[in-house]
Amino acid sequence: MCGRYSLTTPIEGIRRLFGFERIPNLPARHNIAPTQAVLAVREENSVRTCFMARWGLIPGWSKDPSIGAKMINARAETVREKPSFKTAFKRRRCLIPVDAFYEWKTLGGKKQPFRIAFDDGEVFAFAGLWERWQGADGADVETCSIVTTEANEALHDLHHRMPVIVDPHRFETWLHADEDEAARVMRPYVGVRKLVYHPVSPRLNDVRNDDEDLSRPIELDPELLKEPAKKSDDQMSLF
């Protein structure tokens, strides 16, 4: 899954990669969390634009907006069939700019956060879906979800899932191609860039913390990083 990420790249650098025309005023964010407003990119009438959407997709037919908190991720394996996502996958795909994301691994009985990014530190794109939901007051609310898939070789020791990362040459495919072509984008990342990760402060767990220190590596007890010894199938248990 993907439950936290960051976007600290200056807006001009984001615009160069994604090609949207209007440049918003966007502060650096080190701890983006579900239900918050996030930057997304779509193309309408042949013009690529950025917009702010609440992270946690609310299907247009839903009567309860709280469902969005459970819809922060859409599984690539089922996105074409799930009622909550299938219409958005068919008609409303988007790109979500990001420069790092976080996953947790249990070490010594505690969940330790890790920061994952490309080794060049540059901004990249998640595959996203968006929806427009109308509240009881008639106001439109735009929401989004991040598509996830199986972890690639670089990350499988950390977590079994990862966000779908879209290479720039596949942006148009993800935004506009038919469902079969778009489905081919939803694969574990295998591009030339290298994903790397390091442990970060547990302060990340509190969404109220949003500062540069959250991205810095911390030292862990080396014993925590050791894989537990596997019990031999041939060894008889005395208990």
Side-chain angles (χ1 to χ4, degrees):
M1 64 173 293
C2 176
R4 299 285 178 84
Y5 69 95
S6 70
L7 183 60
T8 62
T9 303
I11 192 63
E12 182 57 34
I14 301 171
R15 189 193 67 80
R16 281 197 301 268
L17 177 63
F18 291 91
F20 51 79
E21 296 183 353
R22 182 175 60 87
I23 302 178
N25 181 18
L26 192 70
R29 300 177 65 190
H30 301 269
N31 193 8
I32 299 172
T35 74
Q36 294 179 351
V38 303
L39 183 73
V41 179
R42 62 190 172 199
E43 195 165 300
E44 297 177 305
N45 300 319
S46 300
V47 177
R48 197 174 291 179
T49 61
C50 59
F51 66 107
M52 302 303 292
R54 183 187 299 172
W55 184 12
L57 188 141
I58 305 174
W61 44 261
S62 177
K63 295 182 179 180
D64 182 4
S66 66
I67 193 175
K70 302 176 182 179
M71 301 289 178
I72 65 169
N73 294 155
R75 292 177 65 92
E77 298 86 345
T78 58
V79 70
R80 300 177 73 173
E81 292 80 34
K82 287 284 187 180
S84 298
F85 299 118
K86 65 179 183 179
T87 301
F89 176 73
K90 183 176 182 180
R91 301 175 183 173
R92 289 179 284 277
R93 299 179 217 123
C94 64
L95 300 165
I96 298 178
V98 53
D99 52 33
F101 61 102
Y102 301 92
E103 287 295 355
W104 282 256
K105 184 173 184 177
T106 300
L107 299 173
K110 297 181 180 180
K111 289 195 172 183
Q112 170 62 49
F114 288 79
R115 183 180 188 267
I116 306 161
F118 283 109
D119 59 354
D120 59 17
E122 297 294 323
V123 66
F124 55 99
F126 287 159
L129 309 174
W130 69 276
E131 272 288 4
R132 184 175 289 117
W133 180 82
Q134 189 173 74
D137 60 356
D140 286 337
V141 178
E142 291 186 327
T143 63
C144 67
S145 182
I146 294 168
V147 182
T148 67
T149 186
E150 295 180 355
N152 65 4
E153 185 176 354
L155 301 183
H156 68 80
D157 286 339
L158 180 62
H159 199 274
H160 67 287
R161 304 287 295 178
M162 69 178 294
V164 171
I165 296 174
V166 186
D167 270 335
H169 73 278
R170 305 300 299 276
F171 282 1
E172 285 297 314
T173 300
W174 178 250
L175 291 174
H176 294 299
D178 63 30
E179 293 180 67
D180 290 338
E181 282 294 315
R184 296 186 181 97
V185 177
M186 298 189 296
R187 300 288 187 269
Y189 180 77
V190 292
V192 296
R193 298 167 72 190
K194 183 180 179 181
L195 284 167
V196 295
Y197 59 85
H198 61 252
V200 295
S201 171
R203 292 180 59 246
L204 181 81
N205 298 337
D206 189 336
V207 299
R208 294 171 295 182
N209 296 325
D210 189 357
D211 55 76
E212 190 175 356
D213 283 347
L214 297 179
S215 66
R216 295 187 175 123
I218 63 170
E219 293 289 335
L220 293 180
D221 182 345
E223 291 297 317
L224 295 178
L225 300 177
K226 292 182 179 179
E227 292 291 333
K230 292 184 178 179
K231 184 178 178 181
S232 171
D233 293 335
D234 297 328
Q235 184 178 2
M236 294 180 63
S237 172
L238 299 179
F239 303 97

